[in-house]
Amino acid sequence: PAREGYNLMNQCSMFLDTRGRPHVAHYRNDSAGIPQQFHLHHNGSAWITRQVTGRRTAFQRTGTGTLRLPVSRPAIAVDGRGVAYVMHRDEETGNRVRISWASGPDYSSWRHSDVTEFAVGAWEPNFDSVAMRDHGALEIWVQYCEQGNHEKNVPTAAQQAYLLAVDLKELTQGG
């Protein structure tokens, strides 16, 4: 169990691999008290947890009301080769859409690539899980958005929304 003040953001995203084994992405504090993205998966006999990111800045999700957080909740997908993809954004890396990925079976070596050249504000990842499951196509919904602290509106002009189709072969071989 996570202790109070651990910044655990519930299960944020889950995906079943081709063997029917669950992969979960979430964020919580590391041993130094800095919130990190984590990948949790079941290998058929045990649950394994791996740290995905190497953030350097601490923050707290405490108090009342909603807060604009420096990281997004992650989303996770796993392709037919067993490669796990964690989609997220982080102020430390310019608030761009970032994909972190690692290969099974141990998922111990995570690589990272920003797939947009522009900031997406307080964007939270959302992707077409059916396209990923059925066709191995990673298509991410992207739209710049903002969020203020404590339910405060942040004036933002209308923003274009689009579907970002990620070439997974190019990403994993060139990133």
Side-chain angles (χ1 to χ4, degrees):
R3 65 185 180 280
E4 188 174 334
Y6 202 52
N7 278 325
L8 175 66
M9 174 55 90
N10 301 328
Q11 169 191 324
C12 293
S13 179
M14 184 175 88
F15 200 89
L16 295 177
D17 64 22
T18 57
R19 296 166 63 174
R21 294 181 177 165
H23 293 253
V24 179
H26 68 281
Y27 74 77
R28 63 175 166 81
N29 287 356
D30 63 13
S31 59
I34 298 173
Q36 305 290 348
Q37 304 285 0
F38 284 87
H39 170 246
L40 172 70
H41 75 283
H42 197 278
N43 67 6
S45 58
W47 287 99
I48 309 295
T49 302
R50 301 283 189 217
Q51 184 173 318
V52 174
T53 56
R55 301 188 76 257
R56 298 175 306 280
T57 309
F59 68 86
Q60 290 294 319
R61 273 188 339 108
T62 59
T64 59
T66 354
L67 299 176
R68 184 190 195 287
L69 299 176
V71 300
S72 69
R73 290 172 284 203
I76 190 166
V78 182
D79 70 15
R81 301 172 297 155
V83 178
Y85 302 91
V86 176
M87 297 151 271
H88 56 101
R89 66 133 184 104
D90 189 332
E91 284 181 359
E92 283 189 3
T93 57
N95 272 339
R96 294 176 186 89
V97 175
R98 174 165 275 209
I99 299 177
S100 300
W101 71 94
S103 297
D106 63 351
Y107 301 97
S108 60
S109 180
W110 288 87
R111 297 173 69 190
H112 315 278
S113 183
D114 293 330
V115 294
T116 60
E117 295 179 1
F118 51 88
V120 290
W123 170 85
E124 296 272 326
N126 190 359
F127 71 100
D128 186 339
S129 60
V130 175
M132 185 64 179
R133 181 194 69 210
D134 293 351
H135 309 291
L138 184 54
E139 299 173 344
I140 306 170
W141 176 261
V142 178
Q143 183 177 30
Y144 182 95
C145 64
E146 281 298 341
Q147 175 182 338
N149 286 327
H150 309 292
E151 291 74 41
K152 184 181 277 186
N153 287 331
V154 176
T156 305
Q159 301 291 316
Q160 181 171 344
Y162 60 95
L163 199 59
L164 175 63
V166 179
D167 182 330
L168 296 179
K169 186 174 182 181
E170 180 180 319
L171 176 75
T172 57
Q173 292 178 355

